[in-house]
Amino acid sequence: MDDSAPRHTTAAKGVPDSLRSVTVLADANESAEQALEDWSRGLEWVEWLFSSVRQRTTRLHFEAPATESLPKLRIAWSSFARTSLPEVLIPHLVKAWEASEKGHLSALIDADDALHHVLTEEQKKLSITAGHRLLKSTRGARYQGMLGHFRQACDSGTSTGHFLIIWAALGHFFQLSLTSVIAEYLRLEWSIGTRLLPNSPKLHHLSELTSRLMPKSVAELRMV
């Protein structure tokens, strides 16, 4: 098997995978958030994939305030969602996912380098540590394609290996849509930022935020 071959083979004729949308079916009495939660239960394995990062990382990019007040934490999250996510983080994640989709290793390395230059020194350290933990968790997978090539670039020092870039490559390797890649990243940031709070509060408006962060060239997440 050629491990560099694209993994998607079912796209509609003339429609690239990166432009496909995800439609989530909701019951009449079900909110968008509830529908997305039901839909994402099929991705519970991602929680296992993220377990090492979640357990051993103090934070990723969301800097939660040192408080046990959920309202104050939600205010901090809202600021993060308005600024860092759309202006810095998600654009680099999208570029990395698209590079993986197209099989362009050089573009994936460029995305890693570009992200490296917009992070603070502390953010770089946290991101690289989390990225390499995530990469380590899939070292034994077969037919890794672009993920394997990027792993070699990280191992050789050709690329740094930031978390968002590795997650984008991993998400594509596991045939996740860009919608799912973004949504699962948001859930991880929220779970790390709120783990000191009781009762594991859920991230509200996940579908709305995910849709808002999707690039304009990609159809938005639709709740029907």
Side-chain angles (χ1 to χ4, degrees):
M1 178 180 292
D2 179 5
D3 69 355
S4 65
R7 295 179 56 82
H8 294 293
T9 59
T10 59
K13 184 177 181 180
V15 181
D17 286 337
S18 58
L19 299 183
R20 288 184 296 171
S21 63
V22 172
T23 300
V24 179
L25 301 178
D27 293 334
N29 62 345
E30 192 174 33
S31 68
E33 289 78 12
Q34 290 171 327
L36 185 64
E37 181 180 354
D38 291 341
W39 165 75
S40 65
R41 283 174 183 164
L43 300 179
E44 289 181 350
W45 57 269
V46 176
E47 293 192 19
W48 172 85
L49 191 65
F50 283 161
S51 60
S52 178
V53 174
R54 185 183 298 105
Q55 294 167 8
R56 301 174 62 186
T57 301
T58 55
R59 70 177 178 89
L60 280 175
H61 301 101
F62 173 49
E63 188 170 2
T67 177
E68 293 187 1
S69 169
L70 181 56
K72 290 182 179 179
L73 194 143
R74 289 197 185 279
I75 291 173
W77 176 264
S78 294
S79 177
F80 176 68
R82 289 194 310 269
T83 56
S84 297
L85 285 174
E87 295 174 7
V88 179
L89 302 174
I90 298 302
H92 287 89
L93 173 61
V94 170
K95 288 179 181 178
W97 190 89
E98 291 177 340
S100 298
E101 175 75 14
K102 295 174 183 177
H104 292 171
L105 178 61
S106 61
L108 190 59
I109 293 174
D110 287 345
D112 197 35
D113 183 65
L115 178 59
H116 186 79
H117 284 87
V118 298
L119 300 178
T120 66
E121 291 303 314
E122 182 183 10
Q123 289 172 336
K124 290 175 183 177
K125 182 178 179 180
L126 292 167
S127 175
I128 294 169
T129 299
H132 282 255
R133 282 176 180 154
L134 183 59
L135 198 59
K136 183 179 179 180
S137 67
T138 58
R139 184 168 294 276
R142 301 180 63 189
Y143 310 121
Q144 294 190 24
M146 275 293 296
L147 174 62
H149 297 316
F150 188 61
R151 183 191 304 279
Q152 293 174 0
C154 293
D155 289 344
S156 67
T158 303
S159 203
T160 303
H162 283 285
F163 175 84
L164 284 177
I165 310 304
I166 291 174
W167 170 231
L170 264 173
H172 179 264
F173 171 69
F174 285 114
Q175 304 186 50
L176 296 182
S177 68
L178 179 57
T179 302
S180 296
V181 168
I182 292 175
E184 292 304 317
Y185 161 64
L186 296 177
R187 285 155 61 97
L188 176 65
E189 285 278 20
W190 176 258
S191 66
I192 293 176
T194 61
R195 61 184 166 194
L196 297 180
L197 298 181
N199 302 322
S200 300
K202 292 182 180 179
L203 174 57
H204 291 167
H205 311 299
L206 175 58
S207 60
E208 178 184 338
L209 178 57
T210 301
S211 179
R212 192 167 74 242
L213 292 172
M214 292 284 284
K216 293 181 180 179
S217 60
V218 180
E220 292 185 351
L221 180 71
R222 297 175 300 193
M223 305 301 302
V224 298

